[in-house]
Amino acid sequence: MSDLLRRILFLPEAASSLAPRVDRLHFFIIITTFIVGAGIGLTGLTFLVRYRRGRVDGPAPAMSAPRWMEAAFAGVPLSFFLLWGALGFEDYVWARTPPREAMDVYVTGKQWMWKFAYPDGPGMVGVLHVPTGTPVRLLLTSRDVIHSFYVPAFRVKMDALPGRYTEVWFEAVRPGRYRVLCAEYCGLDHSRMRAEVVVLEPEAFETWRARQLSEPTWVTSEGAAEEEVLGPLAREGRVVAARQGCLQCHTLDGTPHIGPTWLGLYGREEPLASGGSVRADVAYLTESMMDPLAKVVAGYAPVMPSYHGRLSAADVGALIEFIKSLHPERPEPPPVQEPDYGPLPR
Amino acid sequence: MAPSHDEGAPLGPSYLDAERGLWSWLTTHDHKRIGVMFLAVLLLMFLLGGVFALALRVELLTPGETVMGRLAYNRAFTVHGVVMVWLFLIPSIPASFGNFLLPLMLGARDVAFPRLNLASFYLYVLGAVMTLWGIFQGGVDTGWTFYTPYSTATGRDLLPVLVGVFVVGFSTILTGINFITTVHTMRAPGITWMKVPLFVWALYGTSIIQVLATPVLGMVLVLVALERVAGAGLFDPARGGDPLLYQHLFWFYSHPAVYIMVLPGMGVISETVCAFSRKRPFSYRVIVWSTVGIAFVGFLTWGHHMFVSGQSTFGAGAFSLLSMLVAIFTAMKIFTWLGTLYRGSLWVSTPFAYVLGFIFLLFFGGMSGVAVAVTSADLHWHDTYFVVAHFHFIMVGASLMAFLAALHYWFPKMWGRRYPEGMGIGTAVLIIFGFIATFLPQFLLGNQGMPRRYADYPESFQPLHVASTAGASLLGFGFVIVAIYLGWSLRYGSVAGRNPWGSEGYEWLSDSPPPEFNFHAPPIFPRPPHEYGPPRADGEVDHAA
Ligand code: HEM
Ligand SMILES: [Cu+2]
C-alpha cells in the first residue's frame, strides 16, 4: 500500500528510519486533501449545472449562513490542521534529536562540494560512507555561503551555515548509494553540488574504515584551492591594490618593505611610533588609507600618501577584505578539526 | 436603487474624454487615470516576467545545458522572480483596479490624496526602472529573496536593485496610506463599516499590511546595502553577525507580503461571486473578519520558512501552529464563496470561469501551504519544487486568476466596451488547464526530490519537467489570446452600457466609463452592497455576448 502510494506520488524509496514516518503523514494529508478537493469540485460543478441562469428562473432567495455553520467553517478544517501539525511536530522533534550513541561525521559545504570528515581521521570530498542500522549525526557548517544538505531518499535536509553548526541525524536502513543534493541556492554551480551517501553493511563499513586508516593516501588539495578560497570581494581587493600602487610599498609574503607587510596584518597588534599600540581592525585600516599619518607604525617612515578621494567606499571594502584574507595560515571560520582529504574511491 | 440621476445617455464626458493628450494623462490627479496607467505598466512587467518564465521552462526541458548556461539561468530566474514578485504581484490589483475602483465603490470623487497618488505612480516607475537597469547591468543572480551571505558575497553589483526595490516599496506604502485614509474619511453618507463593499475591505486589509510590513523590507534592503558597501558585518559571522538574522527580517516582511499579493484577489472574487450568482454573500461577516484575521495572523508565521535553517525546535513548533491558524481564514472564505453559489442564478461568463478556477486552485495552493507548514513534512519539501508549485498555485492561481477575473469583469466599466464572451470563456478554460498542466507536475517533482533554483538536474527528473514545460507553453499561448481579443475590444468591442452584468456593486451606479469626478450628482446608497434581487426583467441584464 505505502509502496504503491509512494510510486503514484513520485516519492523516492524510503531508505532511512525517518522516511516512513514522513511519508505516512504525507499520505494522510494528501488523501484528506483530495477527498475534500473532490468534494469542493463536485459541489461547484453540481451548482453550476443545477443553478445555471436560464435553467432556474425563480428569484434567488437571499440567504445567510447560520452561526453554527460559520463556526463549522472554521472548526472542522482547524481540527484537521492542528492534528497534522501535532503529528508532524512529534516526528520533527524526533528527527532533530540525535540519539546519544550516534556516530559523528563533520560535513562542510563549500562552493560547490561537500566535504566529509570522521573524528578519527579519514575524510573525503563528495562521498560519505555510513553503516546501516547505526544512527549517524552530521555536524554541518559552511565555508562560504549557506548550503543545504539534502538526501531525498532519507527525507533529510538541514542547512549548513557559515560560522555556525547545525546538526541532523539519520539512520540508513538499507545498503545502497543515495544522492546528496544542495537545496539552498548557493551560486553558479548550485545545481551541480552533488555528493553521495554510500551505505554499507556494518562489517563492510568496518573493513572500509580499517583500510582507510591503514593506508593514509590522503593528499592535500588546499594549496590548489587557495585561489578559489579568495572570495570575489577579496579578489577585487587584490586588483585595487595593484592598480593603486599599494604593493609598491606593502608586501604580501611577510617581508617588511617600505611599509609593513599585509600578511597576517588584520587583527595584529601594531606598536605605534607615538607609543602605545593599535589593533589593525577595519577602523584602523580604513583610517590608515584615508589619513596615514594619524597613527604611524613604529619603525616606518611617515611616507604613505593619503588615499582620501582616490578610493571609493567599495574599493576600501574590497581592500580590507583582501587584507583579511592574507593570513599566514588561513583560520577557518568554524574551528573544525579538518583532516586532509582522501582520494575518491570511485 | 438607481443613483440620483436618470439612466440613459451619459450626462458628461467620461474620464477618458475629459481631457485629451498624453500630457493630460501624465499629470492627471484622477485616480481612474492613475489606475489605468498602473495597469499598463503592470501588464508590461507581467509580459517581461512571463518571457523569462518561458525561457526558464525551455532550459529545463532537458538536463544539462539546453539553451543557456548556468550563469544565465541563475540570472534569468532572478529577473523572473524580482519582476513578478516585486514589480507585478505586489502592486498588481491594488495599484490598478484598487485605484480605479476604491473611490467609486465608496461614492467618493477621488482618493484622499490625489497628488500623492500620482507621486506613488512615478515612484513605482522610478523604482521599476532602477531595479530593471540594476538587474540587467549587474547581472544579479541572487533570486528575489536576496539571501545573505550570498547576496553580500556575490561579485555582481546589487546596489541599484536594492535601491530600486526600496523605492517601489515606498510607492506601496504611499498607496496604502492613501487607501486607508480614503476608506476612513471619504465614505459617502450611508456607507457604514458593515456596508463597505468586500473588495474595499480586502484593499483595506492589504493596505494595513503594506503600511506595517513594507518599512521592515526597506530596513532589510538598507542593511544589505550597508553590508555590501561598508562591510557592516550584520549578517557576516566572521564579524560577529548572523546570517539567520537576515532570513528572520526578510520573512517578517515577505510572509505578510504574500498576503499583499492574495488578499486583493480574494476581494475580487468576493465581488464577482456575488455578481454572477445574483446572491448576497453567504456570510459578509465571515469574509470581513477572515480578511482582518489574515492581515493580523499573517505577521506571526514567518518562521515557517526556516524549519531546516537551524532555528530552535520549539520555535519551529510555534510557527507551525500559528501557520495553521492563518490557513483557517482561507478555508472559511472558500466555504463562504461556495455557499454563495448555492441556489444562486449562476451566469457562466468569463470572469465567473476565472472565479471557479480561482477557488479550485486556491484550495490546492492553500492545502499545500498547510502541508509545508507541517514541520516533519517540510524536512523533505523545503526548497524543492513542491514549494515552487505551492506558491505558484497560490500566487499565479489566486492572484493572477483574480487579476484576469477583474480585468474581464471591470473591462466594460473601464472602457465602456465589451469583449467577445465566447472567446473569453474558451481562453479561460485553456489558461486554467495550462496552469494545472504546468504546476501539478512540479508538486511531484518536489516529492521526487528536485530542489528549486537548479539550472541542471539528474536525468531521473526529466519526464516531469517535460510535462511542466508543455503546460507552460499552453499557458503562454492563452495569455497571447487574451491580449489579442482584449486589445481588439478596446476599439471594436460592442458598447457596454452602464451596467452590462446587472451587478449591484456600487461602482456600477456610475456611468461606464465613469465621468471625471465619478458621479454627476452625489450618489445615495440606501442598501447594503451585494444586495441582489432576482434578475431584472427590464433587459438590463444582457446575456448575449
Ligand atoms: C494564501 C496565500 C499564500 C501565498 C500567496 C503564499 C505564498 C508563498 C510563497 C511565495 C512561498 C515561497 C517563498 C519562497 O520563495 O521561498 C511560500 C512558502 C510557504 N508557504 Fe505559503 N502562501 C500562502 C498561503 C500559505 C498558507 C495558508 C500556509 C500554511 C498554512 C503557507 C505555508 C507556507 C510555508 C510553510 C512555506 C515555506 C515552505 C518551504 O520553504 O519549505 N502558505 N508561500
Ligand atoms: Cu549549496
Side-chain angles (χ1 to χ4, degrees):
Chain A
M1 178 65 185
S2 308
D3 267 333
L4 179 67
L5 278 174
R6 210 165 274 143
R7 207 149 326 134
I8 295 175
L9 294 172
F10 281 77
L11 287 164
E13 62 180 312
S16 74
S17 54
L18 174 64
R21 289 179 174 239
V22 171
D23 290 358
R24 215 176 309 142
L25 193 53
H26 182 171
F27 300 150
F28 181 22
I29 296 174
I30 209 100
I31 288 172
T32 324
T33 303
F34 267 82
I35 292 174
V36 179
I40 289 181
L42 285 180
T43 313
L45 279 184
T46 315
F47 287 177
L48 202 61
V49 176
R50 284 221 21 213
Y51 308 124
R52 232 1 234 285
R53 193 170 296 185
R55 257 189 75 134
V56 270
D57 222 295
M63 263 179 306
S64 293
R67 226 165 240 279
W68 66 265
M69 202 183 265
E70 291 178 351
F73 285 177
V76 174
L78 186 61
S79 33
F80 269 99
F81 296 170
L82 290 180
L83 176 64
W84 294 337
L87 292 175
F89 190 56
E90 197 188 338
D91 288 346
Y92 181 79
V93 171
W94 185 79
R96 292 206 46 187
T97 319
R100 232 169 248 265
E101 74 279 10
M103 172 182 129
D104 283 346
V105 181
Y106 295 98
V107 182
T108 309
K110 177 180 181 310
Q111 284 168 330
W112 289 276
M113 60 182 89
W114 291 107
K115 297 181 176 180
F116 303 100
Y118 299 85
D120 59 358
M124 46 208 37
V125 177
V127 191
L128 168 65
H129 287 78
V130 297
T132 54
T134 310
V136 177
R137 178 171 75 144
L138 304 180
L139 290 147
L140 299 143
T141 192
S142 159
R143 220 36 120 63
D144 33 49
V145 299
I146 301 175
H147 304 274
S148 190
F149 184 86
Y150 178 32
V151 189
F154 295 173
R155 316 287 188 270
V156 156
K157 186 181 292 122
M158 182 50 72
D159 285 0
L161 298 111
R164 273 202 188 215
Y165 275 110
T166 49
E167 60 174 24
V168 68
W169 76 281
F170 63 84
E171 183 184 323
V173 294
R174 216 172 306 124
R177 306 169 84 93
Y178 303 98
R179 186 183 285 139
V180 178
L181 300 167
C182 175
E184 180 66 59
Y185 176 68
C186 58
L188 184 64
D189 264 335
H190 169 52
S191 57
R192 301 223 178 131
M193 184 165 160
R194 297 180 202 161
E196 204 176 29
V197 185
V198 177
V199 179
L200 303 169
E201 296 286 6
E203 311 83 69
F205 178 76
E206 283 313 321
T207 319
W208 170 82
R209 175 139 79 173
R211 203 182 61 228
Q212 287 295 312
L213 291 172
S214 66
E215 299 170 24
T217 51
W218 316 324
V219 293
T220 60
S221 57
E222 283 306 281
E226 188 57 47
E227 198 54 26
E228 47 175 309
V229 160
L230 226 48
L233 201 55
R235 251 177 287 160
E236 170 73 22
R238 185 169 52 195
V239 175
V240 175
R243 195 176 57 217
Q244 295 285 356
C246 313
L247 302 183
Q248 291 169 8
C249 300
H250 297 278
T251 66
L252 305 180
D253 59 6
T255 19
H257 193 38
I258 300 171
T261 178
W262 282 357
L263 185 70
L265 169 61
Y266 185 75
R268 194 161 61 196
E269 205 69 32
E270 293 279 58
L272 294 180
S274 55
S277 68
V278 64
R279 218 177 117 80
D281 55 10
V282 174
Y284 170 71
L285 293 179
T286 313
E287 186 189 19
S288 298
M289 295 178 212
M290 299 306 152
D291 187 6
L293 307 186
K295 300 195 181 89
V296 179
V297 179
Y300 292 94
V303 293
M304 177 166 160
S306 167
Y307 282 81
H308 190 82
R310 287 171 59 188
L311 291 172
S312 71
D315 289 343
V316 174
L319 279 171
I320 290 174
E321 200 56 36
F322 177 51
I323 294 175
K324 279 166 84 174
S325 72
L326 296 168
H327 277 267
E329 70 294 314
R330 276 186 64 74
E332 307 301 345
V336 212
Q337 47 156 162
E338 277 218 343
D340 296 326
Y341 297 105
L344 309 189
R346 277 190 202 269
Chain B
M1 281 197 190
S4 50
H5 70 82
D6 284 338
E7 296 186 19
L11 297 176
S14 75
Y15 78 100
L16 293 169
D17 302 320
E19 279 177 283
R20 290 192 169 274
L22 187 62
W23 189 244
S24 76
W25 278 83
L26 293 180
T27 56
T28 183
H29 294 159
D30 184 343
H31 66 97
K32 297 183 288 303
R33 287 190 164 199
I34 295 174
V36 168
M37 291 196 291
F38 260 119
L39 185 61
V41 183
L42 287 167
L43 288 174
L44 206 66
M45 291 302 143
F46 180 63
L47 176 68
L48 181 66
V51 166
F52 276 88
L54 283 177
L56 297 175
R57 283 307 335 156
V58 170
E59 168 57 32
L60 291 176
L61 202 53
T62 65
E65 190 173 321
T66 308
V67 289
M68 56 180 119
R70 286 152 303 160
L71 182 60
Y73 182 88
N74 294 346
R75 291 174 176 183
F77 78 65
T78 302
V79 179
H80 168 70
V82 167
V83 169
M84 284 300 201
V85 171
W86 302 115
L87 304 183
F88 176 70
L89 284 171
I90 287 185
S92 64
I93 294 179
S96 57
F97 298 107
N99 247 325
F100 194 97
L101 292 160
L102 184 103
L104 278 168
M105 287 184 162
L106 294 174
R109 284 164 58 99
D110 205 324
V111 290
F113 309 114
R115 249 176 279 252
L116 201 63
N117 205 13
L118 185 66
S120 145
F121 173 70
Y122 283 117
L123 272 181
Y124 168 76
V125 172
L126 177 72
V129 169
M130 276 183 88
T131 308
L132 291 176
W133 178 76
I135 297 185
F136 286 108
Q137 69 86 35
V140 178
D141 63 346
T142 59
W144 71 278
T145 51
F146 310 125
Y147 266 24
T148 57
Y150 185 70
S151 62
T152 48
T154 178
R156 330 247 161 254
D157 189 6
L158 216 58
L159 217 54
V161 182
L162 296 174
V163 177
V165 174
F166 184 83
V167 172
V168 170
F170 258 99
S171 155
T172 310
I173 296 176
L174 292 185
T175 304
I177 291 176
N178 218 336
F179 283 6
I180 292 177
T181 317
T182 308
V183 175
H184 274 271
T185 62
M186 301 191 54
R187 284 171 288 139
I191 306 188
T192 60
W193 278 101
M194 283 296 134
K195 282 190 191 170
V196 167
L198 290 169
F199 182 54
V200 175
W201 266 114
L203 290 173
Y204 184 72
T206 311
S207 301
I208 289 182
I209 308 180
Q210 285 174 334
V211 171
L212 293 182
T214 316
V216 181
L217 172 74
M219 182 184 81
V220 185
L221 296 173
V222 169
L223 294 182
V224 174
L226 268 181
E227 184 99 1
R228 278 192 72 91
V229 176
L234 289 156
F235 310 121
D236 176 359
R239 284 176 246 176
D242 180 359
L244 283 190
L245 177 63
Y246 176 84
Q247 296 184 20
H248 281 292
L249 292 173
F250 179 81
W251 288 114
F252 183 80
Y253 164 77
S254 292
H255 188 78
V258 305
Y259 290 102
I260 296 180
M261 303 175 214
V262 87
L263 266 181
M266 292 174 161
V268 172
I269 300 308
S270 300
E271 293 285 332
T272 36
V273 158
C274 295
F276 290 99
S277 46
R278 289 208 70 74
K279 283 274 299 294
R280 78 153 80 127
F282 196 42
S283 175
Y284 178 89
R285 202 169 42 187
V286 163
I287 296 188
V288 169
W289 288 112
S290 58
T291 300
V292 177
I294 286 177
F296 180 68
V297 185
F299 277 100
L300 306 176
T301 64
W302 77 88
H304 69 207
H305 296 271
M306 301 166 64
F307 288 155
V308 305
S309 67
Q311 76 170 315
S312 77
T313 308
F314 175 80
F319 280 121
S320 172
L321 181 80
L322 287 163
S323 305
M324 298 307 167
L325 296 183
V326 75
I328 208 66
F329 296 117
T330 309
M332 290 162 73
K333 280 187 197 275
I334 291 183
F335 288 133
T336 308
W337 291 325
L338 273 186
T340 309
L341 298 185
Y342 177 61
R343 301 187 62 189
S345 168
L346 310 188
W347 179 354
V348 185
S349 56
T350 311
F352 193 63
Y354 284 116
V355 168
L356 295 179
F358 174 97
I359 295 179
F360 196 69
L361 298 178
L362 181 75
F363 173 78
F364 281 101
M367 288 305 289
S368 57
V370 174
V372 280
V374 170
T375 37
S376 70
D378 195 50
L379 290 176
H380 182 54
W381 283 325
H382 176 73
D383 267 341
T384 65
Y385 263 72
F386 192 93
V387 172
V388 177
H390 155 65
F391 70 76
H392 279 88
F393 255 67
I394 290 282
M395 299 201 314
V396 187
S399 313
L400 193 61
M401 291 293 144
F403 188 82
L404 288 167
L407 199 59
H408 288 86
Y409 177 56
W410 284 304
F411 191 86
K413 179 90 254 167
M414 297 174 86
W415 310 107
R417 293 190 182 269
R418 313 198 51 178
Y419 54 87
E421 194 63 52
M423 197 85 167
I425 295 181
T427 319
V429 172
L430 174 70
I431 286 183
I432 294 169
F433 181 77
F435 176 85
I436 294 175
T438 309
F439 294 105
L440 195 67
Q442 296 190 3
F443 279 121
L444 301 174
L445 268 174
N447 278 354
Q448 217 185 352
M450 165 91 192
R452 63 197 282 209
R453 298 181 166 171
Y454 263 28
D456 184 12
Y457 55 83
E459 204 116 326
S460 53
F461 296 127
Q462 196 186 0
L464 289 167
H465 274 300
V466 173
S468 181
T469 302
S473 41
L474 277 186
L475 193 57
F477 184 54
F479 289 126
V480 172
I481 305 182
V482 172
I484 292 174
Y485 74 74
L486 283 189
W488 178 87
S489 308
L490 276 183
R491 275 200 78 158
Y492 305 106
S494 58
V495 173
R498 189 171 58 79
N499 186 359
W501 306 116
S503 170
E504 299 286 357
Y506 293 159
E507 74 276 23
W508 299 96
L509 294 176
S510 159
D511 290 339
S512 302
E516 192 176 3
F517 292 107
N518 296 347
F519 299 95
H520 294 294
I524 300 162
F525 298 93
R527 56 173 175 80
H530 322 299
E531 193 69 22
Y532 283 87
R536 283 187 234 155
D538 60 7
E540 176 71 72
V541 181
D542 180 13
H543 285 241

